Amino acid sequence: MSSMPTSARVVIIGGGVVGTSALYHLAKAGWTDCVLLEKNELTAGSTWHAAGNVPTFSTSWSIMNMQRYSTELYARLGAEVDYPMNYHVTGSIRLAHSRERMQEFQRARGMGLYQGMNLEILGVDEIKDKYPFLETHDLAGALYDPADGDIDPAQVTQALAKGARAMGARILRFTPATGVSRENGAWIVHTEKGDISCEFVVNAAGYYAQRVGEWFKPFGGRTVPMATMSHQYLLFEEVAEVRDWSEKVGHKLPLLRDVDTSYYLRQEQNGFNLGPYERNCRAHWVSPDDPLPEDFSFQLYPDDLERLEFYIEDALARVPVLGTTGLSKVINGPIPYAPDGNPLIGPMPGVPNAFEACVFTFGIAQGGGAGKVLAEWITEGAPEWDMWSCDPRRYTDYTDHDYCVAKAKEIYGHEYAMHFPWHRWPAAPDRKLSSVHDRVKAEGGVMGAYNGWERANWFARPGDDLSDESTHTWNRSGPWEQRIREECESVRDGVGVLNLPGFSRFDLSGAGAADWLRGRIAGALPKVGRMNLGYFPDNRGRILTEMSILRHDEDRFTLITAATAQWHDWELLQHALPDGLELSDRTRDYDTLIVCGPKSRALFQDLADADLALPWLSIQTATVAGKETLLARVSFAGELGWEIHARAEEMPAIYEAVLAAGARPFGMWALNSLRLEKGYRTWKGDLSTDYSLLEGGLERFIKFDKPQDFPGKAALLAEKQRGVTKRFVTLTVAAGDADAPYMSTLWHDGQVVGEVTSGGWGYRIGKSIALGMLRADLTAPGTEIEVEIFGERCHAVVQEDRPLWDPDNERIRA
């Protein structure tokens, strides 16, 4: 079959492990009319020089799922496609130098247990039983993963390719794609050997993904957010002691990772492979004097060992036998990095029927799972797992070149770092600033980034410790704790103000807009002059997103959604928009203040020309401090309050007036505490496609009897009839120093029975709170279970399905 095909259902650009895995999984799903284009030979990019480590460890639930699936696939793939592979399941040991690292390991162990993996916590005295050559005097413990190991990258790629070909898919080597065009709703992929017409196209071009991505700009695309880092690993000659030990026990040493120092050390035959992630790292192909070459197939960078001296010396001290042998080879190759270190898997933002499966920093470990995810996205419209952690739409319009390079270097240099909830990584700040940014900072705002927008997380007072080191904790205590408490109390007892730039804001209008919107959401629309929450299900009845729907007129709406959901939710609306309706993104045009607390009405009486007697969930145009605004009677904080929506240029005068009237600024961390006490959900935490609307406790937002059909209605009716297997609950937790993080496990009678979707301290009720998904038979109020928080099982009680604070909503309706 050497002839050039002229058409296919899917064309994949790029023949590394990810591209071939995508082709294999498409063929497994029955989509065999698919073609993969590779400019050189398979594996010619990052795949060929990859070290080939295959860990399952992650603190991300979705990435752990993806990596776990890879290990399961690789274990059976060789036999399935009759292609021998060197896959060594050696287990791995991650070393901890601190209590905080052990807490991270405990959390990962709980997540792994829930996914069926037997991760183990090792005490210091147990580590040498598995790794006798190790110095352990300064360690706090370790995490052991029996499923970890390494695989030959070329072999696994060729095995996936063989499996795909056997099912009928095509692979065209030495056939570089040169561009794309679009005709009659179909893609035309251009190559030097001819054109291929297809329904779907996939950018799996590795470190060439940004160049390929430029081809899609005329069709709504953007520059792919990435940079390419130089990663070196060192191969050492045979060590006699290691050879003798391996021959005696019949297996290799576990793969060792000193995550606090930042390197891995792996037995390679009877020598070692040392791979550091150095702070003093280097990005390549990021400046005019270092351009990306037309072809870098099977090539490497020159050695640059000076950057690695500290890490080599540390490894020699940790495993002294390493010093008894010589260095045999240095591999220095390109590795692509997205700004957060996670790959790009999913719909290409702004471009119809185009997908990305690129920018993999750990492509071998994630390649198997990535192929599954991408194939499901294309063939079924959605993956099995919620994959927002890797969704290309998580980045929007702030990821310019300098941002991507700065973030890639930061992530690379802290590859194994702990991601503490209070810590902000400092590189590339201030991408998007509200019109009152300087005023917020002057009030003591300690900022965080939300879709690139700077918002205050908390407000510091003079003398508060703002050092980076103070944030290196999983515990709730820190210089922020007392300030968050004070901010919550000011909202409870007086009036607080939160500047909230970057709310994703879409205006929808046109004849028939209301009827169209009714067919997209599960519930009802608000009346004119009112607002409500609308939930958008997918065809499985799972939660795609939540939007606040503000109705100005019969067919004129404003839809407001989470800052990070901007491109995701825009596409959700735009993709299905019929002719005759107008949809516009007004996110950058407007700014928002939340003004709430029992004294907020009194504040507005002096500042606003408005009807302050209008009920909860009403909207009105009004002047505040002499400026035209939209005033919405709603409060995510669960107190009497309003949201002020005004054009960005008008907001400084309004903000100054609100502050002068006595409102105390509060931040996002106080808002998180306040919303937990009300049981309000957050997007991609409590609300995700891992859960159906019924599981999410959102039945009151479903209108099964409305005449309009909506996505997922049949699935939800079927689920309602058979009953859910798990259900959303609010828990109060007898927590210690730390509150429950996302995906903490819930336990009952020695079994894992659910997971935490968000948690924190409630300062109005004085208790630790966890929202989560629990096995349905355990959701009766008063049921006692346990929440595992960093390895400690804490007593918890299921609460009634109503807010913990102001359960009858008397305060917000006042």
Side-chain angles (χ1 to χ4, degrees), residues 1-16 19-28 31-38 42 160-175 191 193 195-197:
M1 294 180 67
S2 58
S3 62
M4 182 76 182
T6 58
S7 67
R9 200 165 187 188
V10 183
V11 171
I12 298 169
I13 300 169
T20 54
S21 178
L23 188 71
Y24 169 85
H25 283 90
L26 284 166
K28 286 279 279 189
W31 285 39
T32 55
D33 181 20
C34 299
V35 172
L36 182 148
L37 302 175
E38 165 53 44
L42 294 182
L160 289 163
K162 182 180 181 184
R165 287 189 186 106
M167 289 181 279
R170 299 282 303 274
I171 296 176
L172 304 178
R173 297 170 301 135
F174 303 102
T175 309
T191 81
K193 299 178 182 178
D195 295 345
I196 306 176
S197 172

Side-chain angles (χ1 to χ4, degrees), residues 656-693:
E656 287 293 346
V658 169
L659 289 175
R664 172 172 176 160
F666 69 101
M668 296 298 292
W669 291 347
L671 183 65
N672 187 58
S673 170
L674 296 164
R675 68 95 190 170
L676 282 168
E677 293 172 308
K678 296 297 291 184
Y680 296 159
R681 280 71 151 171
T682 56
W683 193 66
K684 292 306 179 191
D686 316 296
L687 304 170
S688 81
T689 56
D690 282 333
Y691 310 117
S692 74
L693 269 73

Side-chain angles (χ1 to χ4, degrees), residues 405-443:
V405 173
K407 280 297 183 186
K409 293 174 75 170
E410 181 176 67
I411 288 288
Y412 180 95
H414 299 86
E415 186 61 66
Y416 297 128
M418 291 174 277
H419 291 265
F420 296 110
W422 315 107
H423 179 251
R424 176 175 183 173
W425 293 98
D430 297 344
R431 310 317 285 186
K432 298 189 213 174
L433 305 181
S434 83
S435 57
V436 298
H437 176 75
D438 291 343
R439 189 70 174 89
V440 170
K441 293 267 287 188
E443 289 291 315

